[in-house]
């Protein structure tokens, strides 16, 4: 399966999520925008900051007609602990087999302590009501990112 492209429909997916549920793209369509943010690992400094930023601005994201979903390769059990620890008001999806990470082409070779490792490149995507990918951010730097996502959501909502 080839990677998603801005302006095209995102293929159907279903992943296990927090709250003892499975979330599929088809179940989200028609309910507003979907913000998918891929992050490397639960309970690490950058990922915690990013989750807190989405939490801090959650009401503005909802007001722009969007739903937030965080995705990493961690297990649902790990996600539940991470979500509970920081009180995230959105669900976290577990992509242990990297199917969604592969679809969105976010698995990259990264340098960690001088070694090459495969990991998730921090990335965010906005999908519209019809399942079309409207915007993508790759190699995300956390500071100011959520505000940028909100600005685009507000622009798309007009």
């Amino acid at each position: 399966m080839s990677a998603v492209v801005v302006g095209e429909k995102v293929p159907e997916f279903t992943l296990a999520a927090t709250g003892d549920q499975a979330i599929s793209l088809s179940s989200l369509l028609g309910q507003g925008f979907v913000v998918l943010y891929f992050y490397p690992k639960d309970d690490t400094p950058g990922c915690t900051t990013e989750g807190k930023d989405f939490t801090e601005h959650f009401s503005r994201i909802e007001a722009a007609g969007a739903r937030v979903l965080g995705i990493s390769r961690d297990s649902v059990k790990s996600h539940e602990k991470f979500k509970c620890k920081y009180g995230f008001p959105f669900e976290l999806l577990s992509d242990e087999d990297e199917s969604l990470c592969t679809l969105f082409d976010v698995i990259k070779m990264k340098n960690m302590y001088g070694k090459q490792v495969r990991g998730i490149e921090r990335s965010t995507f906005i999908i519209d009501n019809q399942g079309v990918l409207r915007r993508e951010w790759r190699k995300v730097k956390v500071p100011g990112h959520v505000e940028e996502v909100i600005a685009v959501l507000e622009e798309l909502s007009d």
Side-chain angles (χ1 to χ4, degrees), residues 94-125:
S94 175
D95 190 19
E96 290 183 275
D97 70 359
E98 300 179 359
S99 59
L100 201 60
C101 290
T102 301
L103 178 65
F104 281 86
D105 192 29
V106 298
I107 299 288
K108 305 291 180 186
M109 291 307 292
K110 300 159 66 170
N111 283 315
M112 189 169 283
Y113 308 112
K115 289 185 191 167
Q116 285 278 311
V117 296
R118 286 178 75 253
I120 292 179
E121 177 181 81
R122 194 179 307 280
S123 306
T124 303
F125 302 87

Side-chain angles (χ1 to χ4, degrees), residues 74-94:
D74 295 299
S75 68
V76 172
K77 184 177 180 181
S78 174
H79 281 346
E80 290 288 3
K81 288 181 191 169
F82 186 41
K83 180 182 175 184
C84 184
K85 183 174 181 180
Y86 295 102
F88 297 151
F90 46 84
E91 304 305 335
L92 300 177
L93 281 63
S94 175

Side-chain angles (χ1 to χ4, degrees), residues 33 63-66 152-158:
F33 294 101
V152 170
L153 284 169
E154 289 171 344
E155 186 181 297
L156 291 170
S157 297
D158 291 342

Side-chain angles (χ1 to χ4, degrees), residues 11-22:
E12 174 65 9
F13 64 82
T14 302
L15 288 178
T18 49
D20 196 26
Q21 58 188 320

